[in-house]
Amino acid sequence: MKRIGIDVGGTNTDAVLIDGEKVISAIKFPTTADVMQGVVNAIGHVVSSQAPGASPVDAVMIGTTHFTNAVVERARLERVAAIRIAMPAGASLPPMIDWPDELRDAVDPLSFMVHGGHEYDGRPLVPLARDEIRDAAMKIRDAGVDSIGITALFSPLTAECELEAAEIIRSVIPSARITLSHTLGRIGLLERENVTLLNAALQGLGRKTIDAFKDALLRAGIDAPFYLTQNDGTVVLADVAAANPVYSFASGPTNSMRGAAFLTGLKEAMVIDVGGTTSDIGCLVGGFPREANNVVEVGGVRTLFRMPDLLPMALGGGTIIDPETRKIGPRSVGYRITEKALVFGGDTLTTTDVAVAAGLVEIGDRDRVKHLDKAMVADLLKRIEAMVEDGVDRMKTSAEGVQLIAVGGGAFLIPEKLKGAREVLRVEHAGVANALGAAMAQVSGEVDQVFSDMSRDNAIAEADRIARRRAVEAGADPNSIVTLDTEDIPIAYLPGDARRVRVRVVGDIAFMKEEEKRAADGMR
């Protein structure tokens, strides 16, 4: 099956075309001000490398930083309404209490706290105040707000309050885009509410982004289903991703990690992805990124949901160096490296200039950096080495040396030998590992909830069934689905033999057969 993988980064847009596991072509373009035109250009290049009469592309996988950038930049966010079902217990800290002021101002929230929710043991806290929800819905409608986040106390134990509230709101606002917290986050109320409201604020951008990618694919002459990559290194149908944009926050680094696993065949290793602006260090466990089990901040907002365990570093190919103090970063020239870096005729000293001066890579005009003091270049390389070693040490879970896979356009900055790493691996196509990771990604389904009044085996079986259903809804072939990991934790303080069960499954993309495509075309 032919697939195109695209990763849209802040500095470069990478694209690859693969047939099965064979890489047919790859390209790295500077990200353009018009992001979609850059996507069209990248697709055009990899497709043009095919022989005349080649079979069409079966699917396109895209990784994008659109959503996390919107949160970080406080831009392109919709006004949201927050409904918290937790009164009277949850009155002390209102919604978005811990958000940065400028981000809270950007979403200009309407907040409502109503009576309802459940206790930690699954009993109702107080009866759900349906009239309060209906009144809130009418005020939201009158304010012209369409994006709504609903969070109920202990809803991962039982989602009754959130589901009923959503029905009431839809009866008042049929066009409402509603995010329910139990579908995204874990038990902690504030963190779960935070990710719910971030998702609600991004749903409009999610729809616009998906539509823009569809248009870009049509302009590039591609008529195939397309998917967006997610935080866990898998993909989901674009229309499904539009409803849950928060699941694509960290898709860039996870794409690179999956690409590293694909290129090396390793399932257990550490990966450093060196881009133009930053580097991300993560760990492969079973061929997938290790998940974070603690609070993860996104744009200054505390969240607790499915995110990879990553260590970002202000080190990239475009990182600016102060020649006086020899301070490296944190600022970067980003996608303007071809204008600003010394080797391209610019006036800014970057890490790429240092690497070229040291003979580590051939980029631009080496004569433009021959004036750099050799002692300074050697000292800067030592400083870069120390930064990487510190990052590797912080991500390790044991004192043993690890295999470190260096990928990304700036991988030339990673030394051949590092303390704490028994081997530094470099592979062909490492510069476009992110696009490769997108192209060969599978589809996942996950469930993380509490089950009660059933045996352990039945609870795990039910969780597995739900996870498989979600994978199929996201675009997986039901016959290819396998269980990736299962975890169950008995909860002693809950009645009915309650236990928290987490199941994650993955499967291959469900490609339409030729006869199915013709039938679908005939129905259009």
Side-chain angles (χ1 to χ4, degrees):
M1 294 293 182
K2 285 187 179 176
R3 290 171 284 179
I4 291 176
I6 302 169
D7 189 274
V8 184
T11 304
N12 291 300
T13 294
D14 301 339
V16 297
L17 173 65
I18 66 173
D19 189 352
E21 295 191 354
K22 179 184 177 183
V23 179
I24 298 174
S25 63
I27 186 66
K28 182 182 287 288
F29 272 117
T31 296
T32 56
D34 179 358
V35 173
M36 296 306 162
Q37 185 57 49
V39 171
V40 172
N41 294 342
I43 292 175
H45 179 89
V46 294
V47 170
S48 65
S49 64
Q50 296 187 99
S55 59
V57 172
D58 294 293
V60 179
M61 287 77 168
I62 301 175
T64 178
T65 57
H66 269 50
F67 307 128
T68 186
N69 287 350
V71 176
V72 172
E73 297 167 8
R74 288 40 170 151
R76 306 181 299 283
L77 300 170
E78 287 197 305
R79 190 181 188 193
V80 301
I83 296 180
R84 181 191 291 175
I85 306 171
M87 291 289 282
S92 58
L93 298 174
M96 300 189 189
I97 184 65
D98 58 344
W99 286 37
D101 292 339
E102 67 274 16
L103 182 56
R104 191 187 310 109
D105 293 342
V107 299
D108 188 19
L110 285 172
S111 295
F112 303 90
M113 293 195 285
V114 304
H115 287 78
H118 288 80
E119 299 275 14
Y120 67 88
D121 61 0
R123 292 176 299 163
L125 176 67
V126 294
L128 179 64
R130 296 170 180 81
D131 290 343
E132 293 179 18
I133 294 171
R134 191 169 287 104
D135 289 344
M138 289 188 286
K139 291 176 181 176
I140 294 168
R141 179 195 60 195
D142 294 343
V145 176
D146 290 322
S147 295
I148 302 166
I150 303 175
T151 307
L153 194 64
F154 288 108
S155 63
L157 302 181
T158 172
E160 292 173 10
C161 288
E162 291 186 358
L163 294 171
E164 189 169 351
E167 285 184 15
I168 294 171
I169 290 169
R170 286 197 179 97
S171 70
V172 178
I173 316 173
S175 62
R177 292 191 298 271
I178 300 174
T179 301
L180 303 180
S181 77
H182 74 273
T183 65
L184 294 176
R186 295 169 185 165
I187 287 180
L189 177 68
L190 288 180
E191 292 83 6
R192 177 161 44 89
E193 183 177 62
N194 283 345
V195 73
T196 301
L197 297 177
L198 282 176
N199 196 76
L202 287 165
Q203 279 189 324
L205 176 63
R207 187 71 265 163
K208 291 175 184 175
T209 300
I210 296 308
D211 290 342
F213 277 129
K214 282 183 179 177
D215 182 61
L217 292 176
L218 288 175
R219 286 159 55 196
I222 301 294
D223 181 18
F226 82 99
Y227 302 73
L228 250 58
T229 58
Q230 297 192 105
N231 301 329
D232 62 356
T234 62
V235 292
V236 65
L237 281 166
D239 289 328
V240 177
N244 297 299
V246 294
Y247 278 153
S248 296
F249 272 161
S251 62
T254 54
N255 287 345
S256 294
M257 295 182 69
R258 288 287 288 149
F262 171 71
L263 290 168
T264 62
L266 295 176
K267 293 186 178 295
E268 312 288 331
M270 190 173 287
V271 179
I272 181 165
D273 174 26
V274 190
T277 305
T278 59
S279 295
D280 291 285
I281 303 178
C283 295
L284 288 170
V285 178
F288 285 84
R290 183 175 72 196
E291 280 195 19
N293 285 320
N294 54 355
V295 170
V296 176
E297 286 202 1
V298 179
V301 177
R302 289 166 52 89
T303 67
L304 185 59
F305 73 120
R306 190 172 75 207
M307 287 284 280
D309 186 12
L310 296 172
L311 176 67
M313 299 168 53
L315 175 67
T319 298
I320 297 171
I321 296 173
D322 186 334
E324 299 297 325
T325 63
R326 300 185 184 180
K327 184 174 183 292
I328 301 171
R331 293 187 303 118
S332 169
V333 295
Y335 68 88
R336 300 181 65 192
I337 188 170
T338 54
E339 305 170 20
K340 293 291 188 179
L342 297 182
V343 291
F344 294 110
D347 58 1
T348 305
L349 179 63
T350 68
T351 51
T352 294
D353 298 315
V354 171
V356 172
L360 299 180
V361 65
E362 289 293 332
I363 297 176
D365 185 355
R366 189 173 182 179
D367 288 341
R368 294 182 183 274
V369 292
K370 64 182 181 182
H371 65 282
L372 294 180
D373 180 65
K374 291 183 179 180
M376 181 187 74
V377 170
D379 178 55
L380 289 169
L381 290 178
K382 277 291 182 185
R383 291 176 183 234
I384 291 171
E385 181 179 327
M387 289 175 67
V388 177
E389 287 177 343
D390 179 64
V392 169
D393 193 52
R394 289 171 63 184
M395 290 299 289
K396 289 172 65 174
T397 55
S398 72
E400 297 179 5
V402 297
Q403 287 180 294
L404 178 67
I405 309 169
V407 297
F412 53 80
L413 293 173
I414 307 304
E416 295 292 336
K417 292 185 178 181
L418 290 166
K419 293 177 183 175
R422 69 174 184 268
E423 185 180 15
V424 176
L425 298 171
R426 303 178 190 278
V427 290
E428 187 182 8
H429 302 304
V432 290
N434 45 9
L436 274 170
M440 50 76 65
Q442 294 174 292
V443 181
S444 70
E446 183 176 13
V447 62
D448 184 353
Q449 68 183 63
V450 174
F451 296 86
S452 58
D453 297 320
M454 62 177 68
S455 68
R456 175 178 181 271
D457 289 344
N458 288 342
I460 292 174
E462 176 64 11
D464 191 78
R465 185 190 65 79
I466 296 171
R468 287 170 181 266
R469 188 197 72 220
R470 290 178 178 175
V472 171
E473 290 171 350
D477 178 354
N479 296 320
S480 69
I481 295 174
V482 296
T483 302
L484 198 63
D485 49 59
T486 302
E487 177 185 18
D488 75 292
I489 304 172
I491 304 179
Y493 53 79
L494 295 185
D497 193 25
R499 63 186 62 249
R500 175 186 173 189
V501 183
R502 177 178 172 273
V503 174
R504 185 156 63 117
V505 302
V506 295
D508 296 330
I509 290 172
F511 290 107
M512 292 179 72
K513 297 176 183 177
E514 284 303 315
E515 58 270 21
E516 293 173 335
K517 289 182 180 179
R518 286 194 293 270
D521 289 340
M523 294 174 64
R524 289 193 181 108

